Amino acid sequence: MSGRSNSFVVVANRLPVDLETAADGTREWKASPGGLVTALSPVLEEHQGCWVGWPGVADEAPEPFTTDNGVLLHPVRLTNEDFEAFYEGFSNATLWPLYHDLIVTPIYNRDWWDTYREVNLRFANEVAAVAAENATVWVQDYQLQLVPGILRQLRPDLTIGFFLHIPFPSPDLFRQLPWREELVRGLLDANLIGFHLESNARNFLELARTQGLTVEGEVSTREVTAHIVTNSGHSVGVGAFPISIAASEFAEGGDTGDVAQLRAELGNPAHVILGVDRLDYTKGILQRLTAFEELLETGALNPEKVTFVQLATPSRERIDHYRATRSKVEEAVGRINGRFGRLGAPVVHYQHSSVPKDVLRRYYRLADIMLVTPFKDGMNLVAKEYVASHSDGSGALVLSEFAGAAAELTQANLCNPFDIESIKRALLSAVKALEESPETMRERMTAMNQQVRQHDIALWSQSFLGALDQEQA
Ligand code: ADQ
């Protein structure tokens, strides 16, 4: 259905689909399962909603269609040049490093900014064309920060929510951005701006203060008790809404025989250590490999007894820093296996591809220790997926203090990924604790498991949309 008939519209850079080409050359759009689509599908269904976004292939814009799981999609066309300047450029080589506290240096390129504005306008136009009178629009993430402002001009009748999936930096860092005023103005035209953490939201309020705007109230979680009042008198709610996962999908059940078989395939190590990430420089993959290597070197870990499995999804592969990270990670894997593995028995198993969800779940179940070591991460769903996979209390989570998830998973073995010694200490203490005080570890994992089950993705979307409803009232 097209035209202005949708009373709930989600707009995100990507549509939840992938284009699949069969052996006979026929092409088909397949729903790509993901946390966001799982969380939003019931809401989309209830409100006769739709999803606006880019289908993931340059120069392709199929007519609106409905996925096999019933979500109506409105594709937005991006050319190859748009993809380079808007997505790889401004979104991922400017905003991504700036918002992740300058782990690498952001590139400020005026042409990229022009394309970012043009593409945001295109997304907003598409939303304006399909949203019903007085509809609710939920704008997702850093690629679309100008959309609320453009939409407010085009369709003052809409209720607009914005959620940022990555961290929001301190005003001191944000001030670097040459287009800072316009970007913030775009966001402030929403009715509600949501962040994962209260600290992210406080950074945003502080920024608003430095721009001379009035801030009322203090930030809280899953409700809105803080507002920014703009010069035109518009009041926008600001709050923390920590995202989560469909926890029940990761809960045990199914065939545990598979897990035992997987351990046997890895040579029946006493301890399996697991890393699962998009291959991104923010995730600290090289640092965790270095920590592992040094523990093998000193004999603190025995290569005959431990195995490290690293699953890495290819990501943003044409951007220089991503290419450099991949090559350093792969060099480290080769070196560690050369030093400590044997033929047919590597000590690090590394796969540079996505794995199906059921395979991923089996690895989570198998892993005795999960290593999650980002330098900075909005939330980190992998940590929550691992915890949700261990409702029997088994396993241990080593988690970076700089992952948003650390605010909730307080029983993890926390580490500072900028300090290799800290990663080594946390990993070693997890290994020791599993051997020497399994009961304590079980209690800690059980507590984290309950936290994730009680705060799942449905709570996230309900609390955000409930708060947005209040803001509109
Ligand atoms: P990401 O940076 O992509 O997300 P994360 O939250 O960990 O990071 O989500 C990654 C997802 O990809 C997980 O669901 C995981 O299962 C999946 N995945 C990773 N590697 C995989 C592999 N090899 N095979 C199959 N699946 C794999 C951004 C922000 C985060 C924030 C989320 C949600 O950077 O901070 O938590 O959005 O808001």
Side-chain angles (χ1 to χ4, degrees):
M1 203 184 311
S2 37
R4 290 188 173 190
S5 57
N6 299 282
S7 55
F8 179 60
V9 181
V10 168
V11 52
N13 173 52
R14 273 291 260 121
L15 287 174
V17 284
D18 292 312
L19 183 59
E20 287 185 7
T21 309
D24 64 1
T26 51
R27 304 190 322 160
E28 201 183 346
W29 295 98
K30 288 259 184 207
S32 59
L36 209 55
V37 68
T38 313
L40 297 175
S41 291
V43 196
L44 287 164
E45 219 169 288
E46 191 184 324
H47 298 275
Q48 205 190 51
C50 73
W51 189 311
V52 172
W54 178 55
V57 186
D59 293 314
E60 296 261 358
E63 287 301 304
F65 64 102
T66 305
T67 61
D68 10 348
N69 49 0
V71 180
L72 174 63
L73 307 181
H74 281 276
V76 174
R77 184 192 181 88
L78 293 188
T79 65
N80 208 31
E81 293 72 40
D82 292 333
F83 178 74
E84 281 174 22
F86 155 75
Y87 181 75
E88 295 186 319
F90 199 78
S91 297
N92 287 317
T94 306
L95 294 175
W96 179 268
L98 178 65
Y99 284 30
H100 286 86
D101 290 356
L102 315 185
I103 296 165
V104 304
T105 305
I107 299 170
Y108 301 118
N109 176 312
R110 285 167 278 189
D111 294 335
W112 290 354
W113 164 246
D114 289 341
T115 310
Y116 183 85
R117 291 166 83 189
E118 280 165 33
V119 171
N120 270 248
L121 177 62
R122 211 175 302 158
F123 275 83
N125 276 329
E126 184 66 29
V127 174
V130 302
E133 195 68 21
N134 300 318
T136 295
V137 178
W138 194 358
V139 185
Q140 309 286 328
D141 226 357
Y142 63 104
Q143 302 92 349
L144 301 180
Q145 290 174 92
L146 299 176
V147 168
I150 303 168
L151 266 184
R152 184 64 68 206
Q153 298 288 321
L154 294 173
R155 293 285 306 273
D157 59 301
L158 300 176
T159 299
I160 305 168
F162 177 88
F163 187 80
L164 186 70
H165 289 260
I166 64 175
F168 192 80
S170 87
D172 265 358
L173 295 184
F174 185 81
R175 280 214 319 258
Q176 288 191 0
L177 188 70
W179 310 280
R180 57 197 184 190
E181 270 102 19
E182 189 171 342
L183 205 81
V184 173
R185 253 200 321 275
L187 289 172
L188 290 173
D189 272 329
N191 296 89
L192 172 61
I193 305 172
F195 300 87
H196 288 305
L197 302 183
E198 292 185 6
S199 56
N200 302 147
R202 276 196 294 270
N203 280 345
F204 189 73
L205 293 183
E206 187 53 37
L207 178 71
R209 273 191 204 98
T210 64
Q211 294 194 353
L213 301 174
T214 306
V215 173
E216 294 170 347
E218 296 291 332
V219 172
S220 54
T221 297
R222 294 190 194 89
E223 56 178 347
V224 177
T225 47
H227 289 85
I228 299 171
V229 183
T230 67
N231 294 334
S232 65
H234 169 71
S235 170
V236 49
V238 175
F241 298 87
I243 203 168
S244 192
I245 57 165
S248 57
E249 285 181 16
F250 288 87
E252 283 90 337
D255 191 357
T256 46
D258 277 344
V259 173
Q261 190 194 333
L262 200 56
R263 189 177 288 270
E265 283 167 17
L266 296 173
N268 275 321
H271 296 297
V272 175
I273 302 167
L274 178 65
V276 176
D277 315 76
R278 267 189 315 99
L279 213 164
D280 192 298
Y281 54 78
T282 59
K283 303 290 182 183
I285 304 171
L286 181 65
Q287 285 61 28
R288 83 178 70 127
L289 283 167
T290 306
F292 181 62
E293 182 175 21
E294 291 186 11
L295 290 171
L296 293 172
E297 203 167 63
T298 57
L301 290 179
N302 178 348
E304 298 296 328
K305 290 193 174 161
V306 296
T307 293
F308 192 130
V309 177
Q310 176 65 54
L311 304 177
T313 308
S315 185
R316 305 173 193 168
E317 296 214 278
R318 302 195 310 184
I319 301 176
D320 285 346
H321 284 295
Y322 286 79
R323 269 207 288 256
T325 301
R326 177 178 175 191
S327 108
K328 284 184 206 152
V329 163
E330 294 183 352
E331 186 189 317
V333 170
R335 187 183 60 243
I336 298 169
N337 280 332
R339 293 182 68 192
F340 302 104
R342 284 181 289 108
L343 289 177
V347 65
V348 181
H349 293 255
Y350 167 79
Q351 185 170 315
H352 182 240
S353 64
S354 266
V355 296
K357 276 281 177 255
D358 59 325
V359 175
L360 185 61
R361 277 197 282 266
R362 219 171 301 145
Y363 275 100
Y364 282 144
R365 285 287 299 125
L366 169 71
D368 302 291
I369 298 166
M370 185 83 211
L371 260 183
V372 180
T373 56
F375 293 120
K376 190 83 188 172
D377 217 328
M379 177 54 65
N380 194 290
L381 296 179
V382 165
K384 290 189 171 181
E385 290 168 358
Y386 177 74
V387 163
S389 306
H390 288 259
S391 56
D392 62 352
S394 62
L397 173 66
V398 172
L399 179 62
S400 161
E401 299 164 24
F402 299 99
E408 293 169 272
L409 304 178
T410 50
Q411 305 268 1
N413 288 49
L414 293 176
C415 71
N416 170 5
F418 295 91
D419 174 6
I420 300 289
E421 294 301 326
S422 167
I423 307 177
K424 285 162 70 178
R425 269 196 308 276
L427 176 54
L428 215 48
S429 86
V431 172
K432 285 223 164 71
L434 285 174
E435 285 168 356
E436 291 165 14
S437 43
E439 262 325 300
T440 312
M441 291 307 274
R442 200 167 288 279
E443 279 165 24
R444 290 168 68 172
M445 185 55 75
T446 305
M448 291 194 285
N449 184 273
Q450 274 170 5
Q451 157 71 30
V452 172
R453 280 196 304 185
Q454 286 164 7
H455 302 87
D456 67 356
I457 182 103
L459 178 66
W460 174 74
S461 60
Q462 282 158 14
S463 54
F464 185 93
L465 292 171
L468 181 56
D469 210 34
Q470 293 291 313
E471 289 307 303
Q472 173 220 21

